[in-house]
Amino acid sequence: MTRHEYEMMIGLEVHVELLTRTKMFCRCSTRFGDPPNTNVCPVCLGLPGSLPRPNREAVRLAVRAALALNCQVNLSSRFDRKNYFYPDLPKGYQISQYDEPLATGGYIEIEEPRKRIRIRRLHIEEDAGKSMHAGDDITAASYSLVDFNRSGVPLIEIVSEPDMRSPEEARQYLEKLQRILQFARVSDVKMEEGSMRVDCNVSVRPKGSDVPGVPCELKNLSSFRAVVKALSYEFERQVGLLEKGEKVVRETRHWDESKEVTAVLRAKETSEDYRYFPDPDLPRLELSPEFVDEVRNSMPELPDQIVSRYVENMGLPRYDANVLTSSPALAEFFDKCVELGAEPKTASNWIMGDLLGYMKAKGIPYEKIPLEPRSLVEMLVLIKDGVISGKIAKDILVKMIETGKDPRTIVKEEGLEQISDEESLARVVEQVIANNPSVVEEIKAGKEKAIAFLVGQVMKMTKGKANPAKVNIILKDKLTS
Ligand code: ADP
Ligand code: MG
Ligand code: ZN
């Protein structure tokens, strides 16, 4: 068999930190970046005699996430203890949900190819603390430090079915998941800060087979790029084994970012290893149908809904709608522009082109738009009224961002008004004609395209301020008379 006769199966387990101010089972702060071990108490340090109390807001956000992902919310679910030893887990167990999770049976739709990736379950759990090992080489660290600030931070885990068939589909699933949770205001889903963490399960099997292959689990994936690379590497590795007549061993593997290979971390734990049992400190989690309805009714508008609003109500191309919904801040910015009277496609062009271009070049994240919608809309009015040219507007946009001034002030201060009065334009046009006799000859001989060159010369002489439409008319007029 050759390589292209194998197919990949990928199932993802994604952990996401919820946007609560306090932890899952105590009232310590969840703030990121505080000095180590300052947000701790007997509950999240696992001291004997302390008792957990669930955080209502965390449950609300988890239910909201479940509904946003088309899951069925189970009105009765249960907290279990997942037992294992690790220095950053002071209780010796993590409170999680095992066989009765908060929600089951959802899906996410991806675009290429258009298909549904099923979500098996979504459950609530608590985060562990954070270990830091001295030096770069974990195996050679002379000591380790533990910070319990993260211990007890509310998490949801979202487990997909193994429905993805390529690293690219996995990337789309993750991007869509991230976007949905961001718009639902459930989490800030930042891979870099660890508020979104991804484990991949991947197997290969001969194409056409209906028996799944033996999966490996990949850990330490700190970006979508790493996910794609690790999955591609793993596909080659597993196919290589099968080609040699060897077997894939079920194990947990670590992605080595610098060497770009996966390496064995440990044999795969099975659920038996964790000795799950119901947490006797916590009652069952019982939700009323009214509570779930209230969460459903207060759901923020989700990306798919916004995309169809932009496409169907505003007539935007699907491509534009997708770009504009890449962050809630961006969609809000665009909505505000339209609300202030901007023509949707015009606003979209300026946002996708010049604004995002500027932000990308300066490394400004999509949720921190450095411009007021009002300023952009005022600038569009100046273009429409013929006060400034579209070309000059590009410079004005940058100046608005960098000085915070409104466009009228910039135009006035820098004398950028477009020259539209015919007399002034005619004078410049005459000069350009006089300076370029050979081009004029060509045009008269029928090479109409050369007119563009003369228009360009007029723009150059006026430093971009001439009204190009008028220049065109005057030029044609003078050349034919
Ligand atoms: P558990 O972790 O409870 O034992 P599974 O191992 O069945 O449950 O599933 C864990 C994750 O592994 C899920 O995301 C699932 O989609 C994925 N998975 C299960 N079987 C395969 C497979 N053969 N290939 C790829 N992924 C798989
Ligand atoms: Mg698992
Ligand atoms: Zn605490």
Side-chain angles (χ1 to χ4, degrees), residues 23 25-29 39-45 148 151-152:
K23 294 187 181 180
F25 297 109
C26 61
R27 297 301 91 102
C28 292
S29 169
N39 299 323
V40 291
C41 75
V43 173
C44 55
L45 286 174
F148 291 107
S151 168

Side-chain angles (χ1 to χ4, degrees), residues 148-181:
F148 291 107
N149 282 354
R150 204 178 69 180
S151 168
V153 166
L155 293 177
I156 49 174
E157 178 173 346
I158 300 143
V159 182
S160 84
E161 293 292 345
D163 285 350
M164 288 153 275
R165 293 287 173 272
S166 68
E168 172 55 21
E169 289 185 15
R171 195 189 55 73
Q172 288 185 54
Y173 169 88
L174 289 171
E175 272 182 2
K176 191 76 179 275
L177 174 64
Q178 186 179 46
R179 215 182 264 212
I180 292 170
L181 297 178

